[in-house]
Amino acid sequence: MSQQGPIIVVAHEGRPAFADALAEAAAFPVVETTWQDVMRAAWKLKPALIVAEMSEGCANQLNELASFAADAKPYLPLIVVGEMAASPDNALPYGGADPGFWSE
């Protein structure tokens, strides 16, 4: 099955390690954005997948993003990389403190 839209990668700043792994796997297009701009990117691009790197202070944006993903048709997976105290029901947690597992 082909991918029906871009993959959005969200991070507080910089390029997270898992973005390189997605590029190496030839998953494209991969669009990188920040927590401040993620909702605008999601509405504009209609992604097939969102992968978000957790960081301090992004809880409100995560909840807004999870609500967007929950309302999306067809199903829009939201993968959250890193540790978090609590997550929305539809956020799929992956990994812990070291997101480098994507490149191993």
Side-chain angles (χ1 to χ4, degrees), residues 43-64:
W43 281 104
K44 183 177 180 181
L45 299 173
K46 306 292 188 248
L49 170 66
I50 300 173
V51 185
E53 180 181 57
M54 291 304 299
S55 60
E56 286 189 39
C58 66
N60 289 337
Q61 292 96 334
L62 176 61
N63 288 329
E64 187 177 6

Side-chain angles (χ1 to χ4, degrees), residues 26-91:
F28 64 89
V30 174
V31 177
E32 297 175 30
T33 189
T34 63
W35 280 106
Q36 292 79 16
D37 295 328
V38 69
M39 290 309 300
R40 181 176 44 188
W43 281 104
K44 183 177 180 181
L45 299 173
K46 306 292 188 248
L49 170 66
I50 300 173
V51 185
E53 180 181 57
M54 291 304 299
S55 60
E56 286 189 39
C58 66
N60 289 337
Q61 292 96 334
L62 176 61
N63 288 329
E64 187 177 6
L65 189 58
S67 179
F68 173 86
D71 293 340
K73 303 288 184 239
Y75 172 73
L76 173 58
L78 170 60
I79 298 174
V80 180
V81 179
E83 294 183 21
M84 59 186 156
S87 67
D89 290 340
N90 63 322

Side-chain angles (χ1 to χ4, degrees), residues 3-29:
Q3 175 179 313
Q4 299 301 310
I7 297 171
I8 293 180
V9 171
V10 186
H12 180 66
E13 60 183 46
R15 183 181 174 104
F18 58 81
D20 293 330
L22 290 170
E24 288 174 14
F28 64 89

